[in-house]
Amino acid sequence: MAEIALEHISKRYGDGFEAVKDMNLDVADGEFMILVGPSGCGKSTALRMVAGLEDITSGELKIGGQVVNDKAPKDRDIAMVFQNYALYPHMTVRDNMGFALKLAKVPEAEINQKVEEAARILDLGEHLDRKPANLSGGQRQRVAMGRAIVRNPSAFLMDEPLSNLDAKLRVQMRTEISRIQQRFDTTTIYVTHDQTEALTLGDRIAVMRSGVLQQVGAPQELYNYPRNLFVAGFIGSPSMNFLPGELDGDTIKLPIGTIRIPDVIRARLDAGPGGGRNGVIVGLRPEDFEDATLIGDQSRGITFNAKIDVLESMGSEFYAYFVVESERITAAELEELARDTGAADLPTEGDGEQVVARLEAASRVRQGEEAELWFNTEHLHLFDPQSGKTLLGSPDGNGAGPGQSPGSQTAPPAAGQSAADQPGSPAAGGAEGAAGQPPR
């Protein structure tokens, strides 16, 4: 195992395009680090630089304390798992898994021992003599992981390994990857576009946008204390709602009504750079709404009426969509998120902002009818309309405090401790050969 350090790493191509900009990231020994962001944000480029598949324009890359900028992929002691499996179709599962060891001239008996042990861990024992064409997508991905495991590398690098699988299989393989990483306690960098994968898998998450590291922290930290609009909108499903607001003394005027600023928000507002500002962007998580008839003590929030345009039943909960009359919010971060999700291409009817609320299955709200909803105002998020940065300091003065630079980091968990082990977590050869949401 080994720690990985990216120190002022940049990647600039011949046409001048800068894919990764001055990236600083420390991955602790045994840590499971997730790189997440929209398409084109630079996450795969950063991973490929760690693997040695992309040259580094500037900065230093260290693995196990040694600078490896000029080392070939085969000399970095890493194993990479690709999105497209990269299996040899003419070889059996056994031969695919042991190929890197064969190239390294490892004795055949040792190769067989390691392959069979990895096959037992991955439940591939009865498939060792099959060809990749006779395997399912999940089995092929397990073979690719087995090929990496048998090498016992210092680090695993995974580039969107589950993106080619169907939704149900992705959930199963996500659990499998987490179990394997905990078992081997190997330093892992995992690239994904799926923020649900990021929240459920990682000890820490690094969010990237346009080649720049936006925020690094534990899953619950990024969810509760996003440093800017981009992180707030990217982390969480459904995404955070954003409405224009106006600070006026001890109240915030919103399209859904005037809210008295709760003491917990006032303390964070005073601790951050938010004091004295007027116009703000207010973030409201869908899970902080509820059917007002189900709330006994409504003093911690605000009630308002809305016509439910669309009601989606998820079995255990409802997603209620409604429109509030307000001016449109224009912010570069939100426009980029809309383009990434495809929302920017959807037609819009009339004025106002669409809001989505997650409601309990016991809710009596009906589509097409007026409903009385409640929002927990103690969970408000406030952002500067110009810079997009949060206006709230974190409760303990650490983590998402707006005074920190986008690339600054918080301490990683102890080696071998997964995200699911952390209190409040939302989750309870060459490179080719080496190669949910938080509870309501």
Side-chain angles (χ1 to χ4, degrees), residues 304-325:
F304 62 97
N305 292 321
K307 180 183 177 182
I308 307 301
D309 298 317
V310 176
L311 188 66
E312 297 177 343
S313 175
M314 309 303 290
S316 60
E317 61 192 2
F318 290 107
Y319 290 171
Y321 296 82
F322 56 94
V323 174
V324 297
E325 294 185 7

Side-chain angles (χ1 to χ4, degrees), residues 246 248 250-261 301-304 377:
E246 192 78 19
D248 184 11
D250 289 331
T251 62
I252 303 176
K253 296 179 180 178
L254 284 172
I256 61 174
T258 299
I259 296 172
R260 180 188 172 278
I261 300 176
I302 181 176
T303 58
F304 62 97
T377 55

Side-chain angles (χ1 to χ4, degrees), residues 4-6 9 19-28 31-51 61 80 83 156-163 187-219 222 230-231 234-235 406-409:
I4 299 174
L6 289 78
I9 294 290
V20 177
K21 306 171 184 177
D22 194 30
M23 183 174 181
N24 292 281
L25 182 66
D26 291 327
V27 184
E31 184 179 10
F32 199 147
M33 173 66 74
I34 308 291
L35 296 184
V36 68
S39 299
C41 72
K43 57 188 184 295
S44 288
T45 302
L47 189 78
R48 289 173 65 84
M49 285 192 287
V50 175
L61 172 66
M80 192 161 182
Q83 176 180 345
F156 291 133
L157 306 180
M158 301 188 183
D159 190 6
E160 303 202 52
L162 307 184
S163 60
T187 307
T188 302
I189 301 180
Y190 184 106
V191 164
T192 181
H193 179 275
D194 186 339
Q195 55 88 28
T196 301
E197 279 182 26
L199 284 169
T200 54
L201 279 175
D203 293 325
R204 287 192 300 159
I205 302 172
V207 182
M208 295 187 67
R209 175 197 175 208
S210 301
V212 177
L213 203 55
Q214 299 293 305
Q215 186 173 350
V216 182
L222 268 63
F230 185 83
V231 176
F234 194 84
I235 298 296
S408 60
Q409 303 178 52

Side-chain angles (χ1 to χ4, degrees), residues 383-403:
F383 302 93
D384 186 299
Q386 281 71 47
S387 68
K389 294 180 179 180
T390 182
L391 298 176
L392 304 178
S394 61
D396 56 3
N398 296 313

Side-chain angles (χ1 to χ4, degrees), residues 320-349:
Y321 296 82
F322 56 94
V323 174
V324 297
E325 294 185 7
S326 74
E327 61 185 50
R328 295 275 181 177
I329 296 176
T330 56
E333 295 91 339
L334 300 185
E335 291 172 1
E336 183 174 340
L337 288 169
R339 288 194 300 270
D340 181 60
T341 59
D345 299 325
L346 297 177
T348 55
E349 297 183 7

